[in-house]
Amino acid sequence: MSFIRTTEMPSVYRHLEKMSIEELLNHINDEDASIAAVIRGLVPRIAGLVDAAASHMEQGGRLFYIGAGTSGRLGVLDASECPPTYGVPDDVVIGIMAGGDEALRFGIEDAEDSHEQGWLDLEKYNISNQDILIGIAASGTTPYVLGALKKAQEQGILTACIVCNADSPIAEYADFPIEAVVGPEFVTGSTRMKSGTAQKLILNMISTTVMIRLGKVQDNRMVNMQISNEKLVERGVKMLMEKTGITDYAQAKASLLKYGNVKNAMEKLKM
């Protein structure tokens, strides 16, 4: 089957520079509105990935994201939000970006061209077959990601990918290929737009559902969140008061600060 890059196909809109601001915004919004339906069709595949990831992580495995450009930045963003949101250590969900931390802020786009560097970057973390690796690449062709997934499969590591073209080279090296084919971008080839939005939505689904499976959420609350600023202390105190029936704010706050998060405080208070 021939590989077609729908991410590079011409926009269905012409002469954007002649449109009014409202026309531009409405058309962008129209395109964004089509993404959710595409992802809905991917739920069974995403569910299989989440189940496998949670099972590995329950046994001490880690979740790795690897990508370049917008895709890599989205992976690092999702990974970096797991510790404060769910109280997991920094080394449980790990985002790796072609070009390193500098590429998060600056466009070091040629960093993605090496077939070997992705695996070399993963080796720094002693990745093993206890872990799971998700490659993120809108095109499905990024050498940095492709090389990493190929080597990971050779080492018996469970792999997945989030791509926006069907039947891509990267998908060949993914045990769980997630292909969010959202069609041409509003600005031709600008995969930071619909493709990036689709990847962000899927990453939200994966990490949130994995963390719920790992017991980091109770009811609908982030009971393991880090108490790292006044806003989160306030949220945690209100949560603890609601869950335990404590009516004294100062008492609830003291307990929260003593035990570090809502879940620990509830357990120590035996509520």
Side-chain angles (χ1 to χ4, degrees), residues 9 28 45-46 101-102 113-114 119 151 167 186 221 234 241 243 245 253 266 270:
M9 292 177 68
I28 292 170
R45 181 62 58 85
I46 298 171
D101 287 350
E102 187 178 4
D113 293 336
S114 169
W119 178 252
K151 188 68 175 180
D167 305 310
F186 180 70
R221 299 302 184 91
E234 176 77 10
M241 293 175 72
K243 294 292 184 181
K253 182 175 181 179
M266 289 171 60
K270 300 187 185 300

Short mmCIF file of all heavy atoms in Angstrom, two decimals, residues 9 28 45-46 101-102 113-114 119 151 167 186 221 234 241 243 245 253 266 270:
data_model
loop_
_atom_site.label_atom_id
_atom_site.label_comp_id
_atom_site.label_asym_id
_atom_site.label_seq_id
_atom_site.Cartn_x
_atom_site.Cartn_y
_atom_site.Cartn_z
N MET A 9 -0.92 17.54 2.44
CA MET A 9 -1.82 17.88 1.33
C MET A 9 -2.26 19.34 1.43
O MET A 9 -2.30 19.92 2.52
CB MET A 9 -3.04 16.95 1.36
CG MET A 9 -2.70 15.50 1.03
SD MET A 9 -4.13 14.39 1.14
CE MET A 9 -5.10 15.00 -0.26
N ILE A 28 -10.73 28.10 11.11
CA ILE A 28 -9.85 27.33 11.98
C ILE A 28 -10.68 26.53 12.98
O ILE A 28 -10.43 25.34 13.22
CB ILE A 28 -8.85 28.25 12.71
CG1 ILE A 28 -7.85 28.85 11.72
CG2 ILE A 28 -8.10 27.48 13.81
CD1 ILE A 28 -6.99 29.94 12.31
N ARG A 45 -8.35 1.32 20.15
CA ARG A 45 -6.90 1.16 20.07
C ARG A 45 -6.21 1.87 21.23
O ARG A 45 -5.27 1.34 21.82
CB ARG A 45 -6.40 1.71 18.73
CG ARG A 45 -4.89 1.59 18.50
CD ARG A 45 -4.38 0.16 18.49
NE ARG A 45 -5.03 -0.64 17.47
CZ ARG A 45 -4.64 -0.70 16.19
NH1 ARG A 45 -3.62 0.02 15.78
NH2 ARG A 45 -5.26 -1.47 15.34
N ILE A 46 -6.69 3.06 21.57
CA ILE A 46 -6.12 3.79 22.71
C ILE A 46 -6.34 3.00 23.99
O ILE A 46 -5.47 2.94 24.86
CB ILE A 46 -6.73 5.20 22.81
CG1 ILE A 46 -6.40 6.02 21.55
CG2 ILE A 46 -6.19 5.93 24.04
CD1 ILE A 46 -7.15 7.35 21.47
N ASP A 101 16.49 19.88 25.94
CA ASP A 101 15.67 20.93 26.54
C ASP A 101 15.70 22.24 25.75
O ASP A 101 14.71 22.98 25.71
CB ASP A 101 16.14 21.20 27.97
CG ASP A 101 15.76 20.08 28.93
OD1 ASP A 101 14.96 19.21 28.52
OD2 ASP A 101 16.25 20.08 30.08
N GLU A 102 16.82 22.53 25.11
CA GLU A 102 16.91 23.77 24.34
C GLU A 102 15.88 23.80 23.21
O GLU A 102 15.33 24.86 22.88
CB GLU A 102 18.32 23.93 23.77
CG GLU A 102 18.56 25.28 23.10
CD GLU A 102 19.97 25.44 22.58
OE1 GLU A 102 20.76 24.48 22.68
OE2 GLU A 102 20.28 26.54 22.07
N ASP A 113 16.68 14.48 12.42
CA ASP A 113 17.11 13.76 11.22
C ASP A 113 17.98 12.54 11.49
O ASP A 113 18.27 11.77 10.58
CB ASP A 113 17.87 14.71 10.29
CG ASP A 113 16.97 15.79 9.71
OD1 ASP A 113 15.75 15.55 9.63
OD2 ASP A 113 17.48 16.86 9.35
N SER A 114 18.41 12.33 12.73
CA SER A 114 19.28 11.20 13.06
C SER A 114 18.46 9.96 13.40
O SER A 114 17.57 10.00 14.25
CB SER A 114 20.17 11.55 14.26
OG SER A 114 20.84 10.40 14.74
N TRP A 119 17.47 6.51 20.08
CA TRP A 119 17.78 5.37 20.94
C TRP A 119 18.90 5.72 21.92
O TRP A 119 18.87 5.31 23.09
CB TRP A 119 18.16 4.15 20.12
CG TRP A 119 18.54 2.98 20.98
CD1 TRP A 119 19.76 2.45 21.19
CD2 TRP A 119 17.64 2.22 21.83
NE1 TRP A 119 19.71 1.41 22.09
CE2 TRP A 119 18.42 1.25 22.48
CE3 TRP A 119 16.27 2.28 22.07
CZ2 TRP A 119 17.86 0.34 23.39
CZ3 TRP A 119 15.72 1.37 22.96
CH2 TRP A 119 16.50 0.41 23.61
N LYS A 151 14.57 0.19 17.29
CA LYS A 151 15.53 -0.38 18.23
C LYS A 151 14.82 -0.91 19.47
O LYS A 151 15.17 -1.98 19.99
CB LYS A 151 16.57 0.67 18.62
CG LYS A 151 17.73 0.13 19.44
CD LYS A 151 18.60 -0.80 18.63
CE LYS A 151 19.82 -1.23 19.43
NZ LYS A 151 20.69 -2.15 18.64
N ASP A 167 -0.79 4.26 7.67
CA ASP A 167 0.20 3.33 7.11
C ASP A 167 1.58 3.94 6.99
O ASP A 167 2.29 3.76 6.00
CB ASP A 167 -0.27 2.82 5.73
CG ASP A 167 -1.65 2.20 5.79
OD1 ASP A 167 -1.87 1.34 6.66
OD2 ASP A 167 -2.51 2.59 4.97
N PHE A 186 -5.20 23.71 8.05
CA PHE A 186 -5.73 24.99 7.58
C PHE A 186 -4.66 25.76 6.82
O PHE A 186 -4.89 26.29 5.73
CB PHE A 186 -6.26 25.80 8.75
CG PHE A 186 -6.84 27.12 8.36
CD1 PHE A 186 -8.03 27.19 7.66
CD2 PHE A 186 -6.19 28.31 8.70
CE1 PHE A 186 -8.56 28.42 7.28
CE2 PHE A 186 -6.72 29.53 8.33
CZ PHE A 186 -7.90 29.59 7.62
N ARG A 221 -11.43 13.44 41.92
CA ARG A 221 -10.51 14.41 42.50
C ARG A 221 -9.05 13.95 42.43
O ARG A 221 -8.76 12.76 42.55
CB ARG A 221 -10.87 14.67 43.97
CG ARG A 221 -12.27 15.24 44.18
CD ARG A 221 -12.50 16.55 43.45
NE ARG A 221 -13.80 17.11 43.73
CZ ARG A 221 -14.05 17.97 44.70
NH1 ARG A 221 -13.09 18.34 45.53
NH2 ARG A 221 -15.27 18.45 44.88
N GLU A 234 -5.10 25.51 48.94
CA GLU A 234 -6.51 25.86 49.11
C GLU A 234 -7.41 24.76 48.54
O GLU A 234 -8.38 24.34 49.17
CB GLU A 234 -6.80 27.20 48.41
CG GLU A 234 -8.25 27.63 48.42
CD GLU A 234 -8.69 28.20 49.75
OE1 GLU A 234 -7.83 28.44 50.62
OE2 GLU A 234 -9.91 28.43 49.92
N MET A 241 -11.60 18.63 53.56
CA MET A 241 -12.77 18.93 54.39
C MET A 241 -14.01 18.23 53.84
O MET A 241 -14.81 17.67 54.59
CB MET A 241 -12.98 20.44 54.46
CG MET A 241 -11.89 21.19 55.21
SD MET A 241 -12.07 22.99 55.16
CE MET A 241 -13.49 23.22 56.24
N LYS A 243 -14.09 15.48 52.00
CA LYS A 243 -13.97 14.03 52.07
C LYS A 243 -14.04 13.50 53.51
O LYS A 243 -14.47 12.37 53.74
CB LYS A 243 -12.66 13.57 51.43
CG LYS A 243 -12.56 13.81 49.92
CD LYS A 243 -13.52 12.93 49.17
CE LYS A 243 -13.36 13.08 47.67
NZ LYS A 243 -14.32 12.23 46.92
N GLY A 245 -15.22 15.42 56.37
CA GLY A 245 -16.21 16.03 57.25
C GLY A 245 -15.62 16.99 58.26
O GLY A 245 -16.33 17.53 59.12
N LYS A 253 -6.03 22.18 57.08
CA LYS A 253 -4.80 22.65 56.44
C LYS A 253 -3.58 22.07 57.12
O LYS A 253 -2.62 21.64 56.46
CB LYS A 253 -4.75 24.18 56.46
CG LYS A 253 -3.53 24.75 55.76
CD LYS A 253 -3.57 26.28 55.71
CE LYS A 253 -2.35 26.83 54.98
NZ LYS A 253 -2.40 28.32 54.90
N MET A 266 -6.12 11.63 54.34
CA MET A 266 -7.34 10.85 54.57
C MET A 266 -7.02 9.51 55.21
O MET A 266 -7.71 9.06 56.12
CB MET A 266 -8.07 10.64 53.25
CG MET A 266 -8.73 11.89 52.69
SD MET A 266 -9.36 11.65 51.01
CE MET A 266 -10.55 10.33 51.28
N LYS A 270 -7.88 8.17 58.88
CA LYS A 270 -8.75 6.98 58.81
C LYS A 270 -10.18 7.34 58.40
O LYS A 270 -11.16 6.92 59.01
CB LYS A 270 -8.75 6.25 60.16
CG LYS A 270 -7.37 5.77 60.58
CD LYS A 270 -7.45 4.92 61.82
CE LYS A 270 -6.05 4.53 62.31
NZ LYS A 270 -5.29 3.77 61.32
#
